[in-house]
Amino acid sequence: MIPRKSLYPSFKVLIVDDEEPFIRSLSIALERSAGINNLTRCQDSREVMGILAQGGFGLVLLDLNMPWLSGDKLLSSIIEEHPEVGVIIISGINQIEPAVRCMKLGAYDYFVKTNEEDRLVLGVNRAIQMVEMSKEHKEIRSRLLHDRLENPEAFEEILTGDKAMRAVFQYLESVAKSAMPILITGESGVGKELFAHTAHRLSGVEGPLVSINVAGLDDNVFSDTLFGHAPGAFTSAHGVRKGMVEQAAQGTLFLDEIGDLSVTSQVKLLRLIQNGEYYPLGNDRPKRMNARIVVATNQDLDKKQAKGEFRKDLYYRLCAHHVHIPPLRERKGDIPLLLNHFLGEAADALGKKRPTYPRELETLLANYPFPGNVRELQAMAHDAVSTHKAKMLSLDAFKRKIGSMTLPAHDHDARDVPEDESVFVSSKSLPSVHDVTDLLVTEAMKRADGNQSIASRLIGISQPALSKRLKKMKQGD
């Protein structure tokens, strides 16, 4: 008996036909060619509605011509009583009129019983994906509407109090059980691997999480790593090697840095996702993939597509579910939470007492754009704890790491303003240099919470120069 967790799809597929040999043949074809094994069989059309009433069904493969109740009548009943269940008509009649009638009633697709087995399997697989997407969208809307997480413990490793991050959690929880790939994007250091581990835990699969960083792998190494090889496949292949796809059976295959994958390797990955089959090197018999795929990148795949460096068809396959992690500078409220965690983590690792830190530290960090994101903050905290000796943590270690905050902050802001736009309003006269300087100093002091040392770093001048300017402004007032 197949373990419950290895069933695909997540919902049941009901096959209804009065001919038992056809049901058996179709069941074998669906499992062999597409891994579809969550099947329920029914030869008596009078039992269909009772079976569906038990729940858990997402798709019905329905014969049109049967004794007792015809497929037409059953189709109308299913659409009326179970509108969430998709229906594919499979008929022995190759006529347009019945097909048009069934499509008007609400059937998802119509196939004729022929020897075109591959076409039928592709149609069923396509319908399964549509039903899965529909269910996931409903689940996402429900979770966002009620602002809930069913499995908050799965996110314990990701420290945040940010609303945007919570929305990402809700989305990931909604799509984690899907058999479709999940694409995780975000800048370097935001924690994409943590999200991949979380997606694996939420998926409920019984197999392992197998991770591969594909950056720098040439095509041959990529193929051997993913698909494995048979003895004699190449000179040094003395035995059988199981590829990562096989090692991830019943689990999750996580491909990190997918944006660095060569175009040749992209083609092989696309075929794996499309067909669910792969060939170990030196073996002419295909193996079926029995793992879900999660990929991650810190690169802009849209730009890589425009340059011809990433295939569009692969991108559309991978982003069936897209999880984007916001950078740390867009969720500054998380900085104190993360800082306290990393300081405690560093103190435990170094066998030191957890240090306290001055209030100015949070202000200093809140005004830094963190190009390295959470990973950079962690490194700062560990470095500061490793060198501190007094009870109060010194700001010097953080200031050394940060350096001048003017250039990084300016670079980030410049990306937000299009080249043909201005920070000034064209309908108003330009302010004087004196006025602009006063405005800049005022804003810096506001962001620095009145701390002159931090404010001077924000605008790239010395603290004495800032102090002198503030005195002039006060005298002017």
Side-chain angles (χ1 to χ4, degrees):
M1 183 177 178
I2 299 172
R4 180 65 184 88
K5 288 183 179 178
S6 66
L7 293 177
Y8 174 75
S10 57
F11 52 81
K12 291 180 282 188
V13 178
L14 177 61
I15 305 177
V16 184
D17 197 299
D18 60 305
E19 298 177 1
E20 198 277 334
F22 177 75
I23 291 181
R24 184 172 64 253
S25 173
L26 179 58
S27 301
I28 293 171
L30 291 173
E31 183 166 2
R32 183 186 64 237
S33 301
I36 301 169
N37 55 14
N38 197 358
L39 303 172
T40 301
R41 307 177 184 187
C42 177
Q43 287 182 249
D44 191 333
S45 58
R46 294 170 296 184
E47 298 175 359
V48 171
M49 300 309 294
I51 293 174
L52 292 178
Q54 297 172 13
F57 289 89
L59 183 64
V60 177
L61 311 182
L62 183 62
D63 184 22
L64 194 59
N65 299 299
M66 295 180 291
W68 300 302
L69 291 174
S70 68
D72 297 65
K73 189 170 285 188
L74 275 174
L75 174 60
S76 298
S77 299
I78 294 171
I79 297 297
E80 182 179 348
E81 296 184 30
H82 302 280
E84 76 285 357
V85 176
V87 181
I88 289 180
I89 299 295
I90 303 175
S91 172
I93 302 175
N94 189 7
Q95 294 179 359
I96 294 178
E97 185 181 339
V100 172
R101 185 172 68 250
C102 290
M103 298 301 282
K104 284 183 177 180
L105 285 172
Y108 175 77
D109 214 334
Y110 185 103
F111 291 95
V112 178
K113 290 180 180 178
T114 64
N115 294 326
E116 294 184 69
E117 186 178 280
D118 292 343
R119 182 171 169 270
L120 176 56
V121 172
L122 284 173
V124 173
N125 221 359
R126 189 166 56 245
I128 286 173
Q129 293 172 10
M130 290 296 293
V131 172
E132 282 184 333
M133 292 293 284
S134 176
K135 288 179 177 291
E136 287 157 10
H137 288 162
K138 289 179 181 177
E139 180 68 16
I140 292 169
R141 287 197 299 270
S142 174
R143 290 178 192 272
L144 292 177
L145 181 64
H146 297 95
D147 191 26
R148 75 178 195 274
L149 285 172
E150 298 292 343
N151 304 279
E153 68 283 353
F155 299 91
E156 286 179 351
E157 292 183 9
I158 306 171
L159 299 177
T160 182
D162 186 73
K163 287 185 177 180
M165 286 286 281
R166 183 172 176 83
V168 175
F169 287 1
Q170 290 168 331
Y171 176 77
L172 182 59
E173 190 177 54
S174 299
V175 305
K177 293 183 183 296
S178 170
M180 303 290 284
I182 296 176
L183 170 64
I184 302 174
T185 59
E187 296 177 7
S188 179
V190 293
K192 295 184 291 294
E193 189 169 354
L194 278 179
F195 275 80
H197 281 262
T198 302
H200 174 68
R201 287 194 296 271
L202 289 168
S203 68
V205 294
E206 58 184 7
L209 172 71
V210 176
S211 302
I212 313 165
N213 189 320
V214 300
L217 297 185
D218 64 36
D219 184 55
N220 290 330
V221 175
F222 174 79
S223 299
D224 189 29
T225 302
L226 246 67
F227 310 136
H229 61 245
F234 44 87
T235 306
S236 58
H238 302 301
V240 175
R241 178 190 179 182
K242 286 186 177 182
M244 296 299 191
V245 177
E246 188 172 355
Q247 292 179 39
Q250 309 293 335
T252 302
L253 179 67
F254 173 48
L255 305 178
D256 201 3
E257 306 295 350
I258 197 70
D260 294 319
L261 197 61
S262 71
V263 175
T264 306
S265 296
Q266 289 174 32
V267 174
K268 294 181 178 179
L269 179 58
L270 175 63
R271 288 173 181 164
L272 175 68
I273 295 171
Q274 281 182 330
N275 304 327
E277 291 183 343
Y278 64 97
Y279 290 85
L281 299 181
N283 196 330
D284 57 1
R285 297 186 63 182
K287 289 188 174 184
R288 281 212 62 79
M289 177 178 69
N290 195 6
R292 57 94 54 84
I293 292 180
V294 177
V295 301
T297 182
N298 61 3
Q299 300 196 39
D300 188 333
L301 295 185
D302 286 326
K303 288 183 179 179
K304 291 187 74 72
Q305 287 179 55
K307 294 178 182 178
E309 297 173 354
F310 202 87
R311 293 180 63 97
K312 286 187 178 182
D313 46 5
L314 176 59
Y315 173 72
Y316 292 132
R317 287 281 181 175
L318 292 176
C319 71
H321 302 303
H322 184 185
V323 175
H324 180 71
I325 309 169
L328 185 56
R329 64 178 171 273
E330 292 180 7
R331 45 188 178 99
K332 292 182 178 179
D334 282 345
I335 291 176
L337 178 68
L338 291 165
L339 175 63
N340 278 285
H341 172 74
F342 291 141
L343 289 177
E345 183 181 75
D348 290 342
L350 296 168
K352 291 186 174 184
K353 188 176 180 180
R354 182 194 184 101
T356 57
Y357 59 84
R359 185 176 63 87
E360 295 88 345
L361 178 56
E362 290 185 9
T363 305
L364 176 71
L365 298 178
N367 284 284
Y368 179 61
F370 280 103
N373 290 288
V374 178
R375 188 184 298 135
E376 184 179 11
L377 176 57
Q378 182 182 29
M380 283 183 183
H382 277 249
D383 181 64
V385 173
S386 65
T387 57
H388 103 283
K389 296 177 181 178
K391 184 177 180 181
M392 181 70 72
L393 193 66
S394 171
L395 293 179
D396 293 341
F398 291 91
K399 288 179 178 179
R400 283 196 304 271
K401 289 287 185 181
I402 289 174
S404 172
M405 293 189 289
T406 307
L407 288 176
H410 175 73
D411 289 346
H412 173 60
D413 291 342
R415 290 196 296 268
D416 294 337
V417 181
E419 291 181 5
D420 58 346
E421 292 187 13
S422 173
V423 294
F424 301 104
V425 180
S426 59
S427 61
K428 295 184 179 181
S429 59
L430 287 171
S432 67
V433 173
H434 181 276
D435 290 339
V436 169
T437 304
D438 285 353
L439 289 170
L440 185 62
V441 168
T442 301
E443 179 63 21
M445 288 296 290
K446 180 181 176 182
R447 294 190 182 191
D449 198 21
N451 186 297
Q452 291 188 24
S453 175
I454 296 173
S456 64
R457 298 172 72 86
L458 287 173
I459 55 178
I461 62 174
S462 67
Q463 186 174 344
L466 175 64
S467 180
K468 185 177 179 180
R469 187 71 197 181
L470 287 169
K471 286 180 181 178
K472 283 186 178 181
M473 289 169 63
K474 189 173 182 181
Q475 291 170 359
D477 292 340

